[in-house]
Amino acid sequence: EKGLRILDKGFLNTAVIRSRITYIDGEAGVLRYRGYPIEQLAQKSSHLESAYLLIYGSLPTRDQFKHFESEILRHGVMHSDAEEFFRSFRYDAHPMSMLTSAFAMLGSLYGEANPSLQGQRLYTNGDKQSLATMDRQIYRLIGKATTLAAMAYRVRQGREFVTPPTGLSYTGSFLYQMDHIGEEDYKPNPVLEKALDVLFLIHADHELNASCTTVLQTGSSLVDPYSAIAAGCASLYGPLHGGANEAVIRMLISIGKPENVPAFIEAVKKKEKTLSGFGHRVYKTSDPRSFIVRKTADEVFKVTGRDELLETAMALHDAAMKDEYFVKRKLAPNVDFCGLIYRAMGFPLDFFPVLFAVPRVVGWLAHWRQMMLQEGGVKIWRPRQVYIGSTKRDYVPVDERV
Ligand code: SDX
């Protein structure tokens, strides 16, 4: 094999792209969207306003936001064929498998699945028409993410689908489609709507995590963005990544009472159990989002009442944070303890990764658009390997094999 190749398992030390979108400092526990600290955005911005910032690079003027929001809300309506698609799932299908499939279905539904290379070149050359094409696909995917999620939820409940309402916010419209049971003047609880919007905002992007890398790897072949987003959704589903918020709650339920925490910690140290919600490839101190999750949880629990698992979660947090095993490995809480909030808000357990995927569509699209418009055009991502298999050998007829 010509040339030495460095094997970088899990891409621990590999950068594949230059980006202006999100900055993380894992040692200092810093997260910024286009330079704005996540703490300021969580306090002062909204999920959709931060979505505009992530995708287009600056905070929107009032008119820019009005257009962006109205386009996204307009695209929330689903083609009626989507209803048959969702009805084909069993009531107990995992909502992430429904959502992953639904994103891929969107391309065909809107006649934009994998257009010819000529078609793709059209929107990678950055002229007015190509920018407008990408904008429409971005509005469609963000607008439909909440509707598709709500449709998956209604399949689970065996209830009819609900058309997105008018006059509510993006997050409010999502809650309406989840909870609507017929009363016309439904308004989501403002504290819960604000809490979910903050959680959407802090989940919107996180630079080149596994699912974002998957979207870019897939998008680099110039496939349509719906298929690339579906691939990212599949990657996010795993328990090491977005599926961890569901795994955290299953872990807390299995531990049960706080007095069972020491035995669980010992099992983790013997590698018999994994401590979901802890550890991160980049953060070697607490994930800055975990402080925002804690603050949001306090707000929500004032409305919903405290969750009995909270005591166990706090006992686990305190035990792990002072145990040498975790301190030495720099394992601190990550964003995925937010499952306690989703549980308090009444979402089904296996729906939690969906609440991660819906906002993360924004970050995936921001990076996808950046790659489509990058200097020098799009190059397909095709890494190499270090080959350690057999040297050359000749075919052996079956009767001579032992
Ligand atoms: C997200 O990348 C992102 O940005 C992701 C994310 C985003 O916004 O997109 O932040 C969202 O996915 C957060 C992470 C959610 N996942 C979990 O909570 C699952 C539990 N966490 C671990 O599986 C793990 O920490 C990872 C997957 C998050 C990170 O794994 P790494 O970087 O590959 O680290 P590693 O597995 O090499 O661990 C180093 C050591 C090992 O011990 P030794 O072999 O050195 O003895 O730490 C141990 C690991 O066994 N370890 C853990 C642990 N995490 C790491 N031990 C117990 N419990 C854990 N949670």
Side-chain angles (χ1 to χ4, degrees):
E1 292 258 335
K2 286 188 291 312
L4 172 73
R5 271 184 210 112
I6 313 286
L7 182 65
D8 182 18
K9 272 173 72 181
F11 296 155
L12 273 155
N13 299 299
T14 296
V16 287
I17 198 165
R18 287 190 172 80
S19 176
R20 294 185 173 84
I21 298 172
T22 291
Y23 172 75
I24 299 176
D25 177 337
E27 297 302 326
V30 168
L31 168 59
R32 296 186 199 128
Y33 290 168
R34 300 280 187 175
Y36 294 93
I38 194 70
E39 296 79 5
Q40 286 187 31
L41 292 171
Q43 211 182 350
K44 300 176 179 163
S45 185
S46 69
H47 173 55
L48 269 204
E49 184 184 67
S50 294
Y52 186 98
L53 170 66
L54 284 164
I55 295 165
Y56 297 108
S58 55
L59 285 168
T61 60
R62 203 176 292 282
D63 287 350
Q64 285 169 333
F65 181 72
K66 199 156 158 269
H67 172 70
F68 182 68
E69 182 184 44
S70 63
E71 281 300 294
I72 285 173
L73 290 175
R74 186 168 69 80
H75 277 290
V77 180
M78 272 313 294
H79 190 293
S80 57
D81 288 1
E83 298 196 3
E84 266 175 70
F85 174 84
F86 272 96
R87 286 281 175 239
S88 66
F89 287 97
R90 275 172 51 103
Y91 78 95
D92 59 353
H94 195 292
M96 275 299 267
S97 60
M98 288 195 250
L99 187 63
T100 303
S101 326
F103 279 132
M105 173 267 297
L106 279 185
S108 307
L109 201 59
Y110 291 98
E112 293 189 323
N114 207 11
S116 68
L117 194 54
Q118 183 48 36
Q120 295 293 11
R121 291 259 184 261
L122 186 70
Y123 66 58
T124 57
N125 64 23
D127 66 10
K128 209 157 162 292
Q129 186 190 359
S130 67
L131 293 175
T133 303
M134 279 201 277
D135 283 349
R136 186 186 68 249
Q137 293 172 331
I138 287 169
Y139 301 151
R140 185 173 271 158
L141 273 156
I142 297 175
K144 294 184 187 326
T146 44
T147 308
L148 296 174
M151 292 177 88
Y153 185 78
R154 308 291 284 205
V155 166
R156 158 63 49 78
Q157 293 184 315
R159 282 161 57 186
E160 76 297 341
F161 299 122
V162 177
T163 313
T166 50
L168 291 180
S169 71
Y170 179 75
T171 307
S173 164
F174 172 59
L175 287 173
Y176 173 98
Q177 294 175 75
M178 300 284 290
D179 295 349
H180 184 65
I181 42 179
E183 72 292 355
E184 280 323 305
D185 57 352
Y186 171 92
K187 286 270 180 293
N189 177 304
V191 173
L192 302 187
E193 180 181 354
K194 174 66 184 155
L196 189 60
D197 197 73
V198 168
L199 291 174
F200 276 4
L201 187 153
I202 65 171
H203 279 88
D205 190 50
H206 212 239
E207 58 127 283
L208 271 265
N209 53 79
S211 53
C212 187
T213 304
T214 305
V215 170
L216 296 184
Q217 169 79 52
T218 309
S220 75
S221 70
L222 289 185
V223 76
D224 63 275
Y226 309 98
S227 305
I229 294 294
C233 199
S235 169
L236 187 74
Y237 189 0
L240 289 186
H241 191 11
N245 59 16
E246 175 182 346
V248 165
I249 300 301
R250 292 189 191 284
M251 170 189 74
L252 292 173
I253 292 169
S254 73
I255 294 172
K257 299 211 169 315
E259 49 266 33
N260 301 332
V261 163
F264 178 79
I265 289 279
E266 288 317 306
V268 169
K269 288 156 73 170
K270 287 190 219 115
K271 299 200 186 276
E272 291 157 9
K273 298 244 166 97
T274 296
L275 185 50
S276 284
F278 271 73
H280 198 280
R281 172 60 58 79
V282 178
Y283 291 123
K284 295 310 164 196
T285 177
S286 282
D287 182 331
R289 298 169 295 178
S290 63
F291 300 112
I292 299 169
V293 168
R294 294 269 290 263
K295 201 160 144 281
T296 308
D298 292 343
E299 298 301 314
V300 168
F301 293 151
K302 281 182 202 145
V303 172
T304 62
R306 285 165 75 88
D307 184 323
E308 83 276 3
L309 288 178
L310 189 64
E311 311 319 320
T312 308
M314 304 302 281
L316 192 60
H317 172 273
D318 297 347
M321 293 304 274
K322 56 178 183 253
D323 186 300
E324 180 49 26
Y325 179 92
F326 300 98
V327 173
K328 192 172 79 171
R329 290 168 174 78
K330 299 187 177 176
L331 300 177
N334 56 45
V335 71
D336 284 306
F337 266 83
C338 58
L340 281 166
I341 301 176
Y342 298 144
R343 188 174 130 100
M345 292 176 79
F347 291 107
L349 190 43
D350 60 2
F351 202 76
F352 293 5
V354 169
L355 296 171
F356 195 146
V358 165
R360 187 50 63 89
V361 166
V362 165
W364 293 335
L365 287 167
H367 287 273
W368 171 77
R369 182 177 187 274
Q370 177 179 253
M371 178 170 78
M372 287 298 128
L373 297 174
Q374 72 187 2
E375 287 294 301
V378 181
K379 283 192 81 56
I380 196 162
W381 287 18
R382 201 273 186 226
R384 295 305 305 278
Q385 62 178 9
V386 172
Y387 180 71
I388 54 169
S390 305
T391 52
K392 180 177 173 304
R393 53 185 173 164
D394 297 324
Y395 184 80
V396 178
V398 67
D399 299 337
E400 295 168 27
R401 293 172 205 159
V402 289

